[in-house]
Amino acid sequence: MKQWYSMDQEQLFKEFSTDLNGLSSSDAKKRLLKDGKNELPQKKSITIFEIIFSELCDPIVLLLIVAIVVSFFVGEKVDAIAITFIVFVDLVMGTYQENKANHTADALSKLVAMKSRVLRDQKEVIIDSKELVRGDIVFLESGDKISADMRILDAHNLTVDESVLTGESLQVQKNAENLEEALFLTDQNNMLFAGTTIVTGRVKALVVSTGIFTEIGKIAESIQNTKEEKSPLTIRIEKFSRQISLFILVIAFILTFLLLHKNVGYHELFLSVIALAVSAMPEGLPLALTMALTIASNKMAKKKVVAKKLHSIESLGSCTVIASDKTGTLTVNEQTAKKILLPNDLEYTITGVGYNYEGNVVGKHLSYAKELAFYGVINNEATMTKEECFGDSIDLAFLTLGKKLSIKTDNIHILEKIPYESENKYSAVFYEKDGDIYCTVKGSLEKIVSFCRDVQLFTGKDSFQKLERQNERLAGEGYRVIAIANGKVKKKDNYTEEDISQLTFMGMVGFIDPIRKEVISSIKQCRLAGIKVLMITGDHPLTAFAIAKDLKLTSDMNKVTTGRDVDIYLEKGEQEFDEFVRSKCVFTRVSPLQKLKIVESLKRQGEFVAVTGDGVNDAPALRSANIGVAMGSGTDI
C-alpha cells in the first residue's frame, strides 16, 4: 500500500497525472468509469420473507414442524392444530420484532453523501461527492464533511474531528508537511479521511482514495466480510435440539426393539413410536422463549434500547466481558474545563459536564479564576447558543467556563486576532479595555512562556521550571493543558506576532473529556455480576489511563497498552497474542481492525463478548462480538 503522506507534491501529481489546475471533465469521466463511484458498498436489505425463513430455520421450530406433519399423519389433529398455533404465534412475534429493528438504514453510506467543491477545467465547481475521482483537487472549510481520503496540499488553521474514525476525542491539527516514517492512521497529520469533519480552517487537498479504498471503505468492507456471531441462546438451543433429537431417536429405537420382541403389529408399533416422539417434543419452548424475550424487548424499548434480534436480549445476560469504547461511550465526547491552576499552586475545581452551563468553580479568591476565564472567552473562535455549538472543542469549553463564572465582555473592543495555527501552537487577541491596549495569548506552555517576562503570584528564581512541573502533573492526570498570559502593549494601527512580548504568565487550565455520570455505577454492577470490563480506545494512553483510574478499571499503568504493542504481539502468533490480551484491560491508540483482533482473541479464550461503541471505528468489533451494543451516533452503523 502506498504511503501518500510521505510523498511530496511533485510525486503526488505524477502519480495521479494531475496538477494544481485539477482535472478536465473528460479525464474525470474516464476515471469515474475505471474506478467506480465514490460510494460505499451497501448490504442488501433483508426482506420480510427472509426474516420469516430464518425464523422457520430455528432448530426447535423445525422439530415442531416435523411433529405437526407426523400428528396429522397419525390422525392427532387436535395436537397438530395446537402445535401449529404455537409455531404461528412464535413466527409472527419474532418476525415483527426483527423486521421493525431492520428498518434502520445503513448509515455508512450517509457519511459520504454530500456535495464537494472541486477544480474541473481550471474552474471551481460543486459536484456530488459520488462523482469524486482520484486526482481531483478539493476545497474544504470549517463545517464541511470530508467525502474521500485526501492528501493536504495547502492548509490554514486546520483542525479535524476524527473521533468517528479513530476514537480520538480531541480535534487533530493538520498541515501540508511531508512525513517520512511509517505512521499509524492517528499520526498522519497531512491526510484527511472520509467521514471525518473539518472543525476550523480551510484546506486544499488532493483526492488519493475513493469508495471502498478509503479507510472508512475498508471498515465497511470488513463489516460485510465479518461473520456474524451466534448468540449464546442460539448456541444453547441448537445444542438442546441436537440432544433432544438424539434422545428421541434412541428411545424410538429401544421402543421399536421391545415392541418387535413382543410381536406387536407394525401399524400399532408405528403409532406408538410416533406418539412417544411427539409427546417428547418441547412444544411450548419456542413460544415461552419468544414471549419472555418480547416482554424484555418492550421494557428495553422504553429506555430507548432497540434489540435488532430477540435472542440478543438473552446474550446480554450471558456476556462475561464488556469491551467498551471510551470517547462518546464512557465519556460524553465534549471537552470540559475541570481544573484551573495558578503559579502559586492555588487550584480551582470546576464541576459540570460538557457544553452546558450547569456547574460552578470551587476554590479561594475566585477573581483569579474569573480573570483566566475572561481571557479564554475573548481569545476564542467558537460560537455557542442554546440550540447549537460550533467550533474548536477547547474554545467551546472556555465559553462554557465563562458562562459558569458569568463573564461579561461588553466593555471590550477587539482590535486584532491571530488565529490558532498548529505550527504556531498559540492564538492571540489584542483588545482595548478602559482606554488601555492589552494582548492575551493561550496555547502550549512552552510557547506561552516564550512571550512572558514574569509570572503572576510567583517571584521565585525557578518560576518557569515550576510551571513545567505543574504542566507535567496535569498532563500525567490525563488533562489537556492550555496556558494563558496577558499584558499591556503599545498602541498602534496594526498588530502582529512581533508585538507579543513582555507579558505576564497568568495560569493554566486543564481540560478533559469527562465520564458520563452513570458509568461508574454501571461498571460496579457489571463487576458484581462477574463481568470483566475493558476499555478499547483510539485516545492517548495517558488520557485513557486517567479515565481508567477514575472508573476504577485499573490503577496500574502496566495494564495499559497501545496499538503498536498490539501489532507486535499479533506477529508472534495467536497463543502469545491471547496471553497479551488477557493481561491488559486498557487498549489505546488502536485502529478499527486492531479492535476486531482483540475481540476475536477474547472469543478464542472462551469469553462471551459484548462490545459497546458509538463510531464507525467500532463497527467491525461490534459486528464480530457475541453481542454488539451500538450507542448514540453509532446506532445506525
Side-chain angles (χ1 to χ4, degrees):
M1 180 180 173
K2 294 188 177 179
Q3 298 176 339
W4 308 118
Y5 56 84
S6 64
M7 296 184 182
D8 59 31
Q9 285 195 17
E10 187 177 339
Q11 289 174 307
L12 288 165
F13 290 151
K14 185 178 180 181
E15 179 73 28
F16 293 103
S17 302
T18 188
D19 55 33
L20 286 171
N21 293 319
L23 301 174
S24 66
S25 298
S26 58
D27 192 12
K29 285 180 182 178
K30 290 176 184 176
R31 297 186 185 203
L32 191 64
L33 287 171
K34 180 183 176 183
D35 298 333
K37 288 190 174 183
N38 178 37
E39 54 188 358
L40 300 178
Q42 296 185 42
K43 189 175 181 180
K44 184 182 176 183
S45 58
I46 301 173
T47 66
I48 192 166
F49 298 107
E50 289 173 317
I51 296 173
I52 292 172
F53 181 75
S54 68
E55 292 286 329
L56 287 172
C57 288
D58 186 289
I60 292 288
V61 173
L62 290 174
L63 282 176
L64 293 182
I65 291 172
V66 172
I68 292 168
V69 173
V70 172
S71 297
F72 271 119
F73 181 75
V74 298
E76 297 291 337
K77 293 183 179 179
V78 175
D79 286 350
I81 291 170
I83 299 171
T84 301
F85 176 75
I86 290 170
V87 171
F88 177 76
V89 173
D90 176 61
L91 189 65
V92 169
M93 293 180 67
T95 300
Y96 170 76
Q97 181 67 29
E98 292 199 18
N99 187 56
K100 183 173 70 172
N102 277 319
H103 278 164
T104 303
D106 185 351
L108 276 171
S109 58
K110 293 180 182 177
L111 289 173
V112 290
M114 63 202 81
K115 300 290 184 180
S116 297
R117 186 160 56 99
V118 302
L119 268 180
R120 291 278 175 88
D121 300 318
Q122 300 185 34
K123 295 179 183 177
E124 287 188 27
V125 295
I126 295 175
I127 62 170
D128 193 309
S129 67
K130 291 181 181 179
E131 309 298 320
L132 278 177
V133 295
R134 298 195 308 154
D136 263 326
I137 303 293
V138 180
F139 299 93
L140 297 162
E141 57 189 26
S142 55
D144 288 345
K145 247 180 184 172
I146 299 163
S147 49
D149 286 1
M150 307 179 193
R151 168 64 193 274
I152 298 171
L153 300 178
D154 185 40
H156 175 73
N157 189 27
L158 183 63
T159 60
V160 179
D161 180 359
E162 293 184 341
S163 60
V164 73
L165 185 64
T166 66
E168 173 66 69
S169 58
L170 295 173
Q171 280 92 35
V172 183
Q173 297 161 7
K174 299 282 187 174
N175 55 60
E177 294 177 8
N178 291 345
L179 300 170
E180 298 299 330
E181 55 184 313
L183 298 172
F184 286 100
L185 194 73
T186 49
D187 300 319
Q188 295 174 21
N189 292 330
N190 59 9
M191 293 290 296
L192 303 174
F193 301 105
T196 61
T197 307
I198 305 290
V199 178
T200 62
R202 302 183 302 277
V203 61
K204 178 165 68 173
L206 175 72
V207 176
V208 296
S209 299
T210 59
I212 62 170
F213 301 104
T214 61
E215 293 299 325
I216 197 175
K218 294 172 189 174
I219 295 173
E221 197 167 34
S222 73
I223 295 172
Q224 302 271 21
N225 297 330
T226 302
K227 182 183 176 182
E228 192 169 358
E229 279 294 316
K230 292 178 180 178
S231 72
L233 182 60
T234 302
I235 294 169
R236 290 178 189 134
I237 288 177
E238 287 180 353
K239 183 179 179 182
F240 175 71
S241 300
R242 289 193 298 270
Q243 289 172 339
I244 198 169
S245 298
L246 183 60
F247 173 76
I248 291 170
L249 285 172
V250 170
I251 296 299
F253 178 78
I254 294 171
L255 184 62
T256 300
F257 177 78
L258 291 174
L259 292 176
L260 283 172
H261 187 68
K262 291 188 175 186
N263 296 317
V264 175
Y266 288 113
H267 181 70
E268 189 177 345
L269 183 150
F270 179 72
L271 291 177
S272 299
V273 171
I274 293 299
L276 175 67
V278 171
S279 64
M281 293 286 184
E283 292 94 343
L285 179 61
L287 184 59
L289 282 173
T290 301
M291 289 291 290
L293 295 176
T294 299
I295 291 168
S297 173
N298 290 334
K299 286 183 177 179
M300 292 171 71
K302 291 176 182 177
K303 296 187 176 183
K304 300 182 180 179
V305 180
V306 177
K308 189 176 179 184
K309 292 192 176 180
L310 281 176
H311 285 179
S312 66
I313 295 166
E314 189 274 342
S315 301
L316 281 172
S318 299
C319 73
T320 58
V321 173
I322 297 176
S324 177
D325 177 46
K326 181 187 78 70
T327 305
T329 304
L330 298 176
T331 63
V332 298
N333 198 18
E334 293 180 357
Q335 288 295 316
T336 305
K338 298 299 288 184
K339 276 190 180 181
I340 295 175
L341 185 59
L342 301 182
N344 66 347
D345 290 325
L346 183 60
E347 190 172 306
Y348 301 88
T349 302
I350 306 160
T351 62
V353 171
Y355 305 145
N356 64 67
Y357 310 146
E358 296 176 4
N360 49 53
V361 180
V362 181
K364 297 178 181 179
H365 310 298
L366 278 182
S367 59
Y368 292 116
K370 287 185 175 182
E371 192 173 14
L372 259 71
F374 167 78
Y375 299 138
V377 169
I378 62 171
N379 185 1
N380 204 294
E381 296 180 68
T383 55
M384 176 180 285
T385 65
K386 290 182 178 180
E387 291 76 28
E388 61 180 359
C389 303
F390 185 76
D392 178 77
S393 59
I394 295 297
D395 280 350
L396 288 168
F398 265 120
L399 293 180
T400 304
L401 176 61
K403 291 288 185 180
K404 290 176 182 178
L405 287 168
S406 302
I407 299 300
K408 304 293 183 185
T409 58
D410 300 338
N411 61 335
I412 300 302
H413 177 54
I414 303 295
L415 302 175
E416 192 75 51
K417 286 187 175 185
I418 299 178
Y420 184 86
E421 299 276 1
S422 57
E423 53 268 28
N424 294 338
K425 298 183 180 180
Y426 80 96
S427 63
V429 165
F430 296 86
Y431 64 98
E432 184 177 355
K433 181 181 178 182
D434 301 329
D436 292 318
I437 309 301
Y438 297 86
C439 174
T440 181
V441 292
K442 73 179 196 306
S444 69
L445 176 66
E446 180 185 8
K447 189 67 178 182
I448 300 307
V449 163
S450 69
F451 295 132
C452 297
R453 66 179 178 187
D454 55 21
V455 177
Q456 176 187 233
L457 303 175
F458 192 86
T459 56
K461 292 182 179 179
D462 64 340
S463 57
F464 291 124
Q465 287 81 356
K466 181 179 182 180
L467 294 178
E468 288 177 2
R469 291 194 294 271
Q470 288 182 331
N471 182 63
E472 287 172 4
R473 177 166 72 83
L474 288 175
E477 293 173 3
Y479 291 103
R480 182 182 180 187
V481 184
I482 300 296
I484 296 175
N486 187 72
K488 281 187 179 181
V489 295
K490 294 179 180 180
K491 190 170 185 178
K492 55 186 294 191
D493 293 332
N494 297 302
Y495 296 93
T496 65
E497 183 176 336
E498 294 178 359
D499 300 301
I500 308 174
S501 63
Q502 304 297 301
L503 304 182
T504 298
F505 187 89
M506 307 303 294
M508 289 177 266
V509 183
F511 298 84
I512 202 165
D513 181 12
I515 298 167
R516 292 182 183 274
K517 60 182 179 181
E518 67 274 14
V519 167
I520 293 176
S521 61
S522 297
I523 290 176
K524 186 177 180 180
Q525 288 179 30
C526 288
R527 281 184 166 157
L528 289 172
I531 301 170
K532 184 180 180 181
V533 180
L534 307 178
M535 183 196 296
I536 306 180
T537 177
D539 232 329
H540 191 279
L542 283 178
T543 304
F545 180 54
I547 296 292
K549 283 198 294 185
D550 290 342
L551 292 172
K552 296 180 172 58
L553 286 179
T554 184
S555 57
D556 184 359
M557 190 64 183
N558 290 326
K559 294 285 186 180
V560 181
T561 188
T562 66
R564 291 182 187 274
D565 294 329
V566 170
D567 277 341
I568 290 169
Y569 278 90
L570 273 170
E571 292 176 359
K572 293 182 177 181
E574 284 188 359
Q575 187 173 348
E576 285 204 46
F577 183 66
D578 291 349
E579 288 290 334
F580 165 74
V581 170
R582 192 179 297 119
S583 67
K584 306 296 179 182
C585 66
V586 179
F587 298 84
T588 68
R589 292 295 196 195
V590 292
S591 69
L593 297 182
Q594 286 173 331
K595 286 188 181 185
L596 176 62
K597 294 295 183 183
I598 293 166
V599 170
E600 289 174 345
S601 171
L602 292 168
K603 290 193 299 184
R604 281 197 300 273
Q605 296 171 45
E607 306 283 6
F608 277 123
V609 185
V611 170
T612 69
D614 74 330
V616 179
N617 60 312
D618 304 307
L622 285 168
R623 171 79 171 177
S624 176
N626 295 100
I627 172 104
V629 185
M631 305 178 71
S633 62
T635 302
D636 290 341
I637 309 302

